[in-house]
Amino acid sequence: METQEIGNQTIKVHHYNTVIIGAGAAGMNCAVHLYEFMTDKGIEDAQNRIAVVTAGLASGASRMSGSDKQTYYKMGTSCEMADSAEEFAESLAAAGCCHGDLALAEAIGSLREFYHLVQAGVPFPHDSMGSYIGYKTDNDPYERATSAGPKTSKDMSECLEEQVRRYGIQIHDHNEVAQFLTVGDKDSKRIIGIATIDKKTLTSNDYALNIYYCRNLVLAAGGPGELYQTSVYPKGQVGIHGIAFKAGLSAENLTESQFGLASIKFRWNVSGSYCQVIPRIFSTDSDGGNEREFLADFFPTMSKMATNIFLKGYQWPFDPQRIENLQSSLIDVLVFNETQKGRLVFMDFLHNPLGNDSMKEFDIEDLEPEAYEYLKKTGAVKSMPIERLFAMNPLAIEIYKENGIDLYSEPLEIAVCAQHNNGGFAVDKWWQSNIPHTFVIGEMAGTHGIKRPGGSALNAGQVGGLRAAEYIVNVYDLDTPDYSDEHARINQQLGWFATTLDKYGSSSGLVGKEVIRRIQSRMTASAAHVRELNDARKALAEAVKDYKKIQYEGFKLENAEDIITAVRAEHLALTSVAYLKAIVELLKQGSGSRGSHLVLADDGMEIHPDVTNKATGKPLKFKPENEALRNSILRIKCDPQATDLFTCENISVRDAPADKKAFEPAWHDYREGKIYGN
Ligand SMILES: Cc1cc2nc3c(=O)[nH]c(=O)nc-3n(C[C@H](O)[C@H](O)[C@H](O)COP(=O)(O)OP(=O)(O)OC[C@H]3O[C@@H](n4cnc5c(N)ncnc54)[C@H](O)[C@@H]3O)c2cc1C
């Protein structure tokens, strides 16, 4: 094992052609494609040129998250309804702020990647003729969605991991990424390696550092889940946004996160069947007493209320455009309103919804036709929600049982949680970032627009990995690079890094866990699904102050584990500044309520006199979307000299390429490798 000495630390050094950070569905798929493309090119030891580096093989959203039947949104495979890549791309980009070339690439690559997963062994259901059956999800005009069950993304990651292991690709587990190593400046800047801390062998004196040098780097470290207090991201899903910003990557659409109803004791989405079986939703005080049917005061009839609970199933993300006129996102607002009062909200599968004195009792036959017909079609016209859930999707009950919650005996506590970021780092149509040789895939890449059809995150992650791998293998050298010329610059950065870690060890610094808690509480209060300009400005100023304080004071460490917490706290602090800065800039442009967040304004529309703004105690009023902004995307970049540490610009949405060549010239371009040019 090659080693390098920095200060009093011995660092293990590794060399690869391509390093992938992250072992979720996106990262694993990219590793598989890289190996296959390299092998096709005649590289005999492709497995020695690729490495997957991850903080936790069993961690991340793909491995730990899901819902009733976690959705994979692909191009239609129905025997009766024709679909096309252009129509699919239109659905992806329908709500605006989505680059046309990325949407089209995700559409064109969709079935190739879907069948790649089928080949890898993911148990997507098909009928006796081999047809993959679809269903309808939120924002989905067709039945393009499919599922392998509550844990689709886990199945995907595990099947792909098996392939990675069969190919002999190294997976470096327990490695928290702490720093990128860069050379060059401005346009010549390159990320040539990453420094990690091995969490398993870390001690107070030995930081267990590793360096992975590479020619190409693929970032697949997922979303910044730990930014939020009220979150359905799996615990420990930190991501590496802060590190990537520091290295100079630009991000887009950070403002467009998704929020929705999820259970919080065991973090899981309560979308799909959980709502379609129409459970009772009620609240209690913080001790579990004083039960209230709080939804009933806001709906005129039991039928309307129950039908809206049903619709939440496939209109899952909170959507400010589905509040008015008693639509399904009113439920998210009311759940949030209730939790703001310090009350707890539950979903109860043992009772049908209870109304108030002016409502009829729940009767399944009174449901609006869309709900009733679906229940009939799925064989779920039963008397109680738990029976309907068992009939419709027994695995949805099983998943809670596996996690210590028996839906036959206890209600589920729920809240409106942060779930996904549609935005992320900016990529071109080959998923390459603004720094050549660095690619971003999966949830870290900002390829979605304001809204996305449910399930399209998993599709995007697979296509992104395919595109990045194809580009790397066909355009860049496949050697293992030698950076000895850059010795001085690398050592300087490693020296700074080791000094930072030493500084963390001072006895008087900040406590990492407290810093993270402060970030999470601020982000949930000011950067989640309810936003207001002055409040966001205040939160941004506090976040900048916190980040600067970390630079001056460092962290107090009591044990080795605190080093990891400190690294995370520092990068989450910078990430939170980026998200808040983007939010402030967008609000300043008068963006209004869009995607999955409400924007409050005194002159906005009132929801209901009893739905109040916690800060003012007055009725909550929100501003509609400014649709003129749908053709521009807010891009953000770290600039340590800027007052808020980041600068923003509006860029135009890129169109999909319109040129269609005849077969022969297209074949020529392909043979000559011209397809990889601009
Ligand atoms: C509850 C829930 C339900 C969802 N349902 C759906 C759905 O139905 N359909 C859909 O399309 N999408 C859904 N999503 C979103 C989707 O699951 C994720 O966007 C997707 O799985 C992300 O995959 P990924 O490979 O990009 O990242 P992840 O699967 O999150 O993997 C990230 C990897 O990076 C590693 N990592 C993270 N931080 C670090 C670090 N600091 N250092 C080193 N390694 C690090 C992790 O250990 C992990 O290996 C859901 C998300 C949630 C939370």
Side-chain angles (χ1 to χ4, degrees), residues 22-23 26 54-56 61-62 70-71 176-177 221-222 239 269 419-420 442-443 455 457-458:
T54 177
S62 309
Q70 197 189 14
T71 302
E176 183 83 18
V177 175
N269 275 9
Q419 186 246 9
H420 181 266
E443 191 172 333
L458 292 176

Side-chain angles (χ1 to χ4, degrees), residues 39 132 284:
T39 307
Y132 286 88
T284 70

Side-chain angles (χ1 to χ4, degrees), residues 250-252 585 589 632-637 647-652:
S250 300
E252 294 177 356
E585 287 303 312
Q589 293 176 24
S632 74
I633 289 180
L634 190 84
R635 182 180 269 217
I636 185 162
K637 198 171 178 165
T647 53
C648 292
E649 61 175 327
N650 275 349
I651 58 153
S652 298

Side-chain angles (χ1 to χ4, degrees), residues 69-88:
K69 49 184 187 303
Q70 197 189 14
T71 302
Y72 190 93
Y73 185 81
K74 53 160 181 44
M75 223 168 90
T77 50
S78 155
C79 296
E80 296 106 41
M81 195 191 289
D83 200 356
S84 75
E86 281 190 359
E87 279 176 272
F88 187 93

Side-chain angles (χ1 to χ4, degrees), residues 42-201:
I43 307 278
E44 283 178 3
D45 64 341
Q47 71 279 9
N48 297 331
R49 302 183 190 218
I50 307 161
V52 177
V53 175
T54 177
L57 188 55
S59 320
S62 309
R63 307 266 177 164
M64 299 179 75
S65 302
S67 57
D68 69 312
K69 49 184 187 303
Q70 197 189 14
T71 302
Y72 190 93
Y73 185 81
K74 53 160 181 44
M75 223 168 90
T77 50
S78 155
C79 296
E80 296 106 41
M81 195 191 289
D83 200 356
S84 75
E86 281 190 359
E87 279 176 272
F88 187 93
E90 265 175 39
S91 301
L92 295 182
C97 297
C98 180
H99 290 301
D101 55 354
L102 295 176
L104 188 60
E106 284 176 7
I108 292 169
S110 176
L111 289 184
R112 178 172 175 184
E113 285 307 279
F114 174 68
Y115 291 119
H116 185 243
L117 290 169
V118 170
Q119 281 308 111
V122 181
F124 288 114
H126 62 75
D127 64 15
S128 65
M129 295 300 293
S131 171
Y132 286 88
I133 309 118
Y135 60 92
K136 189 171 163 177
T137 66
D138 39 87
N139 305 321
D140 173 15
Y142 299 87
E143 293 191 347
R144 289 167 173 155
T146 185
S147 175
K151 303 181 213 169
T152 302
S153 56
K154 183 168 190 272
D155 288 340
M156 289 163 62
S157 319
E158 287 176 354
C159 289
L160 292 163
E161 181 191 331
E162 247 177 61
Q163 226 168 324
V164 162
R165 291 196 188 278
R166 260 202 315 275
Y167 290 157
I169 298 167
Q170 288 282 313
I171 300 172
H172 300 262
D173 198 3
H174 312 292
N175 272 278
E176 183 83 18
V177 175
Q179 167 103 347
F180 288 169
L181 303 174
T182 62
V183 295
D185 286 305
K186 296 196 173 132
D187 291 348
S188 69
K189 191 162 200 175
R190 300 284 180 273
I191 303 172
I192 56 153
I194 61 172
T196 70
I197 300 174
D198 185 335
K199 297 191 288 184
K200 250 194 150 171
T201 55

Side-chain angles (χ1 to χ4, degrees), residues 603-622:
D603 57 349
M605 289 178 292
E606 184 176 307
I607 296 175
H608 188 283
D610 293 342
V611 177
T612 53
N613 182 343
K614 193 183 171 196
T616 61
K618 292 188 186 152
L620 193 138
K621 293 180 177 176
F622 70 102

